[in-house]
Amino acid sequence: MKNDIAYTLVSEEEIDSTVTRIAAEIDRDYPDRSKGLLLLCILKGSVVFMGDLMKKIERPVEIDFMKVSSYGSGTSSSGKINIMLDLHRADMANLDVIVVEDIIDSGRTLSYLVDYLKLTGARSVKTCTMLDKPDRRVVNFEPDYVGKIIPDEFVVGYGLDYDEKYRTLPFIGVLKKEVYSH
Ligand code: IMP
Ligand code: MG
């Protein structure tokens, strides 16, 4: 698996300090521990980031999951968002929601999800992403919490995949072009 990686973009150590920083920002921004806070993991890519982040947040949080698909296959987005697994909760009005994403590329997934979640009546909706590729944006979208801003490269590892592979790598690496260009 590692042979398909051109170079490491974010090391395990850098991931750890980045997640620690974001968790502290969330604890700072949601000081009232009696108010419900929901970390909403967007499957599947965000599952590793979510697992690390939730352990480092000191205040109580609830967790939940949605699954959406934006990429058909390969390395380019289809532009259409499908909800594959929805949220079914009656208590949204009592929750501040933080959507936890692995990476923002075009921005379509998160801008769609934020609009969708606001319609559920959530008390507030913010977004948190491990990686951001602002050069690739096709819709105007600014996340509230960002781990690392990265260049326009296709990356894998730490939950991120190419055709369902490489998610288990503990670091974030740039995939060799020859892996997906034929
Ligand atoms: P967006 O809707 O274009 O912002 O796409 C976000 C989704 O595309 C992410 O949740 C990922 O699943 C996928 N994606 C975008 N860039 C990459 C990448 O470099 N590696 C792996 N998946 C990516
Ligand atoms: Mg994803």
Side-chain angles (χ1 to χ4, degrees), residues 99-117:
V99 184
V100 178
E101 253 289 35
D102 49 0
I103 189 165
I104 307 181
D105 186 56
S106 70
R108 286 191 190 104
T109 305
L110 272 187
S111 73
Y112 176 87
L113 270 177
V114 165
D115 290 347
Y116 181 83
L117 289 164

PDB file of all heavy atoms in Angstrom, residues 99-117:
ATOM      1  N   VAL A  99     -20.650  19.300  11.988  1.00  0.00           N
ATOM      2  CA  VAL A  99     -20.469  18.289  10.952  1.00  0.00           C
ATOM      3  C   VAL A  99     -18.969  18.008  10.823  1.00  0.00           C
ATOM      4  O   VAL A  99     -18.175  18.943  10.675  1.00  0.00           O
ATOM      5  CB  VAL A  99     -21.022  18.777   9.593  1.00  0.00           C
ATOM      6  CG1 VAL A  99     -20.908  17.670   8.547  1.00  0.00           C
ATOM      7  CG2 VAL A  99     -22.453  19.257   9.727  1.00  0.00           C
ATOM      8  N   VAL A 100     -18.607  16.733  10.912  1.00  0.00           N
ATOM      9  CA  VAL A 100     -17.188  16.354  10.868  1.00  0.00           C
ATOM     10  C   VAL A 100     -16.891  15.698   9.520  1.00  0.00           C
ATOM     11  O   VAL A 100     -17.419  14.632   9.199  1.00  0.00           O
ATOM     12  CB  VAL A 100     -16.848  15.392  12.032  1.00  0.00           C
ATOM     13  CG1 VAL A 100     -15.391  14.950  11.961  1.00  0.00           C
ATOM     14  CG2 VAL A 100     -17.147  16.062  13.377  1.00  0.00           C
ATOM     15  N   GLU A 101     -16.060  16.366   8.729  1.00  0.00           N
ATOM     16  CA  GLU A 101     -15.713  15.890   7.382  1.00  0.00           C
ATOM     17  C   GLU A 101     -14.225  15.579   7.292  1.00  0.00           C
ATOM     18  O   GLU A 101     -13.418  16.130   8.041  1.00  0.00           O
ATOM     19  CB  GLU A 101     -16.045  16.981   6.341  1.00  0.00           C
ATOM     20  CG  GLU A 101     -17.262  16.683   5.486  1.00  0.00           C
ATOM     21  CD  GLU A 101     -17.070  15.555   4.474  1.00  0.00           C
ATOM     22  OE1 GLU A 101     -16.360  14.580   4.756  1.00  0.00           O
ATOM     23  OE2 GLU A 101     -17.646  15.666   3.385  1.00  0.00           O
ATOM     24  N   ASP A 102     -13.880  14.710   6.357  1.00  0.00           N
ATOM     25  CA  ASP A 102     -12.468  14.404   6.129  1.00  0.00           C
ATOM     26  C   ASP A 102     -11.791  15.499   5.297  1.00  0.00           C
ATOM     27  O   ASP A 102     -10.690  15.942   5.617  1.00  0.00           O
ATOM     28  CB  ASP A 102     -12.312  13.031   5.462  1.00  0.00           C
ATOM     29  CG  ASP A 102     -13.216  12.832   4.241  1.00  0.00           C
ATOM     30  OD1 ASP A 102     -13.983  13.757   3.877  1.00  0.00           O
ATOM     31  OD2 ASP A 102     -13.159  11.742   3.639  1.00  0.00           O
ATOM     32  N   ILE A 103     -12.470  15.937   4.232  1.00  0.00           N
ATOM     33  CA  ILE A 103     -11.829  16.873   3.299  1.00  0.00           C
ATOM     34  C   ILE A 103     -12.892  17.681   2.561  1.00  0.00           C
ATOM     35  O   ILE A 103     -13.976  17.162   2.280  1.00  0.00           O
ATOM     36  CB  ILE A 103     -10.921  16.093   2.306  1.00  0.00           C
ATOM     37  CG1 ILE A 103     -10.065  17.025   1.452  1.00  0.00           C
ATOM     38  CG2 ILE A 103     -11.719  15.136   1.440  1.00  0.00           C
ATOM     39  CD1 ILE A 103      -8.915  16.310   0.723  1.00  0.00           C
ATOM     40  N   ILE A 104     -12.591  18.926   2.293  1.00  0.00           N
ATOM     41  CA  ILE A 104     -13.476  19.741   1.450  1.00  0.00           C
ATOM     42  C   ILE A 104     -12.763  20.008   0.138  1.00  0.00           C
ATOM     43  O   ILE A 104     -11.620  20.473   0.115  1.00  0.00           O
ATOM     44  CB  ILE A 104     -13.846  21.080   2.106  1.00  0.00           C
ATOM     45  CG1 ILE A 104     -14.413  20.849   3.494  1.00  0.00           C
ATOM     46  CG2 ILE A 104     -14.865  21.821   1.239  1.00  0.00           C
ATOM     47  CD1 ILE A 104     -14.823  22.125   4.179  1.00  0.00           C
ATOM     48  N   ASP A 105     -13.461  19.698  -0.925  1.00  0.00           N
ATOM     49  CA  ASP A 105     -12.897  19.800  -2.267  1.00  0.00           C
ATOM     50  C   ASP A 105     -13.712  20.866  -3.013  1.00  0.00           C
ATOM     51  O   ASP A 105     -13.470  22.062  -2.856  1.00  0.00           O
ATOM     52  CB  ASP A 105     -12.999  18.393  -2.871  1.00  0.00           C
ATOM     53  CG  ASP A 105     -12.334  18.233  -4.208  1.00  0.00           C
ATOM     54  OD1 ASP A 105     -11.141  18.515  -4.299  1.00  0.00           O
ATOM     55  OD2 ASP A 105     -13.006  17.793  -5.152  1.00  0.00           O
ATOM     56  N   SER A 106     -14.730  20.464  -3.750  1.00  0.00           N
ATOM     57  CA  SER A 106     -15.573  21.445  -4.439  1.00  0.00           C
ATOM     58  C   SER A 106     -16.389  22.285  -3.449  1.00  0.00           C
ATOM     59  O   SER A 106     -16.782  23.408  -3.764  1.00  0.00           O
ATOM     60  CB  SER A 106     -16.537  20.735  -5.398  1.00  0.00           C
ATOM     61  OG  SER A 106     -17.507  20.015  -4.667  1.00  0.00           O
ATOM     62  N   GLY A 107     -16.666  21.716  -2.279  1.00  0.00           N
ATOM     63  CA  GLY A 107     -17.519  22.386  -1.289  1.00  0.00           C
ATOM     64  C   GLY A 107     -18.975  21.992  -1.404  1.00  0.00           C
ATOM     65  O   GLY A 107     -19.792  22.375  -0.569  1.00  0.00           O
ATOM     66  N   ARG A 108     -19.306  21.212  -2.428  1.00  0.00           N
ATOM     67  CA  ARG A 108     -20.720  20.882  -2.663  1.00  0.00           C
ATOM     68  C   ARG A 108     -21.324  20.055  -1.528  1.00  0.00           C
ATOM     69  O   ARG A 108     -22.451  20.315  -1.108  1.00  0.00           O
ATOM     70  CB  ARG A 108     -20.865  20.087  -3.967  1.00  0.00           C
ATOM     71  CG  ARG A 108     -20.711  20.920  -5.223  1.00  0.00           C
ATOM     72  CD  ARG A 108     -21.158  20.068  -6.413  1.00  0.00           C
ATOM     73  NE  ARG A 108     -20.837  20.697  -7.689  1.00  0.00           N
ATOM     74  CZ  ARG A 108     -19.830  20.309  -8.463  1.00  0.00           C
ATOM     75  NH1 ARG A 108     -19.042  19.321  -8.095  1.00  0.00           N
ATOM     76  NH2 ARG A 108     -19.608  20.916  -9.619  1.00  0.00           N
ATOM     77  N   THR A 109     -20.581  19.055  -1.049  1.00  0.00           N
ATOM     78  CA  THR A 109     -21.131  18.159  -0.022  1.00  0.00           C
ATOM     79  C   THR A 109     -21.511  18.944   1.234  1.00  0.00           C
ATOM     80  O   THR A 109     -22.639  18.844   1.725  1.00  0.00           O
ATOM     81  CB  THR A 109     -20.105  17.065   0.356  1.00  0.00           C
ATOM     82  OG1 THR A 109     -19.697  16.386  -0.828  1.00  0.00           O
ATOM     83  CG2 THR A 109     -20.696  16.069   1.343  1.00  0.00           C
ATOM     84  N   LEU A 110     -20.569  19.735   1.736  1.00  0.00           N
ATOM     85  CA  LEU A 110     -20.845  20.430   3.000  1.00  0.00           C
ATOM     86  C   LEU A 110     -21.848  21.556   2.835  1.00  0.00           C
ATOM     87  O   LEU A 110     -22.666  21.781   3.731  1.00  0.00           O
ATOM     88  CB  LEU A 110     -19.549  20.940   3.631  1.00  0.00           C
ATOM     89  CG  LEU A 110     -18.842  19.932   4.543  1.00  0.00           C
ATOM     90  CD1 LEU A 110     -17.671  20.574   5.252  1.00  0.00           C
ATOM     91  CD2 LEU A 110     -19.801  19.330   5.566  1.00  0.00           C
ATOM     92  N   SER A 111     -21.826  22.266   1.730  1.00  0.00           N
ATOM     93  CA  SER A 111     -22.804  23.354   1.611  1.00  0.00           C
ATOM     94  C   SER A 111     -24.216  22.776   1.504  1.00  0.00           C
ATOM     95  O   SER A 111     -25.158  23.293   2.106  1.00  0.00           O
ATOM     96  CB  SER A 111     -22.476  24.319   0.478  1.00  0.00           C
ATOM     97  OG  SER A 111     -22.737  23.753  -0.750  1.00  0.00           O
ATOM     98  N   TYR A 112     -24.345  21.641   0.818  1.00  0.00           N
ATOM     99  CA  TYR A 112     -25.636  20.956   0.747  1.00  0.00           C
ATOM    100  C   TYR A 112     -26.068  20.471   2.135  1.00  0.00           C
ATOM    101  O   TYR A 112     -27.208  20.683   2.562  1.00  0.00           O
ATOM    102  CB  TYR A 112     -25.539  19.772  -0.225  1.00  0.00           C
ATOM    103  CG  TYR A 112     -26.781  18.928  -0.300  1.00  0.00           C
ATOM    104  CD1 TYR A 112     -27.817  19.246  -1.179  1.00  0.00           C
ATOM    105  CD2 TYR A 112     -26.934  17.811   0.527  1.00  0.00           C
ATOM    106  CE1 TYR A 112     -28.966  18.462  -1.238  1.00  0.00           C
ATOM    107  CE2 TYR A 112     -28.074  17.031   0.474  1.00  0.00           C
ATOM    108  CZ  TYR A 112     -29.091  17.367  -0.411  1.00  0.00           C
ATOM    109  OH  TYR A 112     -30.224  16.600  -0.458  1.00  0.00           O
ATOM    110  N   LEU A 113     -25.132  19.834   2.859  1.00  0.00           N
ATOM    111  CA  LEU A 113     -25.463  19.278   4.172  1.00  0.00           C
ATOM    112  C   LEU A 113     -25.831  20.346   5.186  1.00  0.00           C
ATOM    113  O   LEU A 113     -26.738  20.147   6.003  1.00  0.00           O
ATOM    114  CB  LEU A 113     -24.285  18.466   4.705  1.00  0.00           C
ATOM    115  CG  LEU A 113     -24.267  16.995   4.335  1.00  0.00           C
ATOM    116  CD1 LEU A 113     -22.997  16.340   4.867  1.00  0.00           C
ATOM    117  CD2 LEU A 113     -25.501  16.277   4.887  1.00  0.00           C
ATOM    118  N   VAL A 114     -25.140  21.468   5.155  1.00  0.00           N
ATOM    119  CA  VAL A 114     -25.448  22.542   6.111  1.00  0.00           C
ATOM    120  C   VAL A 114     -26.872  23.050   5.873  1.00  0.00           C
ATOM    121  O   VAL A 114     -27.651  23.211   6.819  1.00  0.00           O
ATOM    122  CB  VAL A 114     -24.407  23.679   6.015  1.00  0.00           C
ATOM    123  CG1 VAL A 114     -24.899  24.936   6.724  1.00  0.00           C
ATOM    124  CG2 VAL A 114     -23.084  23.228   6.614  1.00  0.00           C
ATOM    125  N   ASP A 115     -27.233  23.273   4.619  1.00  0.00           N
ATOM    126  CA  ASP A 115     -28.607  23.700   4.308  1.00  0.00           C
ATOM    127  C   ASP A 115     -29.617  22.652   4.777  1.00  0.00           C
ATOM    128  O   ASP A 115     -30.644  22.974   5.378  1.00  0.00           O
ATOM    129  CB  ASP A 115     -28.779  23.914   2.796  1.00  0.00           C
ATOM    130  CG  ASP A 115     -28.026  25.139   2.313  1.00  0.00           C
ATOM    131  OD1 ASP A 115     -27.591  25.946   3.168  1.00  0.00           O
ATOM    132  OD2 ASP A 115     -27.854  25.280   1.090  1.00  0.00           O
ATOM    133  N   TYR A 116     -29.301  21.406   4.517  1.00  0.00           N
ATOM    134  CA  TYR A 116     -30.183  20.302   4.887  1.00  0.00           C
ATOM    135  C   TYR A 116     -30.369  20.236   6.409  1.00  0.00           C
ATOM    136  O   TYR A 116     -31.487  20.096   6.915  1.00  0.00           O
ATOM    137  CB  TYR A 116     -29.573  19.000   4.366  1.00  0.00           C
ATOM    138  CG  TYR A 116     -30.380  17.769   4.653  1.00  0.00           C
ATOM    139  CD1 TYR A 116     -31.446  17.414   3.825  1.00  0.00           C
ATOM    140  CD2 TYR A 116     -30.093  16.958   5.744  1.00  0.00           C
ATOM    141  CE1 TYR A 116     -32.196  16.280   4.087  1.00  0.00           C
ATOM    142  CE2 TYR A 116     -30.838  15.823   6.015  1.00  0.00           C
ATOM    143  CZ  TYR A 116     -31.888  15.489   5.183  1.00  0.00           C
ATOM    144  OH  TYR A 116     -32.640  14.376   5.449  1.00  0.00           O
ATOM    145  N   LEU A 117     -29.261  20.369   7.140  1.00  0.00           N
ATOM    146  CA  LEU A 117     -29.333  20.245   8.605  1.00  0.00           C
ATOM    147  C   LEU A 117     -30.047  21.429   9.235  1.00  0.00           C
ATOM    148  O   LEU A 117     -30.727  21.285  10.255  1.00  0.00           O
ATOM    149  CB  LEU A 117     -27.933  20.073   9.191  1.00  0.00           C
ATOM    150  CG  LEU A 117     -27.318  18.704   8.881  1.00  0.00           C
ATOM    151  CD1 LEU A 117     -25.828  18.703   9.132  1.00  0.00           C
ATOM    152  CD2 LEU A 117     -28.005  17.614   9.718  1.00  0.00           C
TER     153      LEU A 117
END
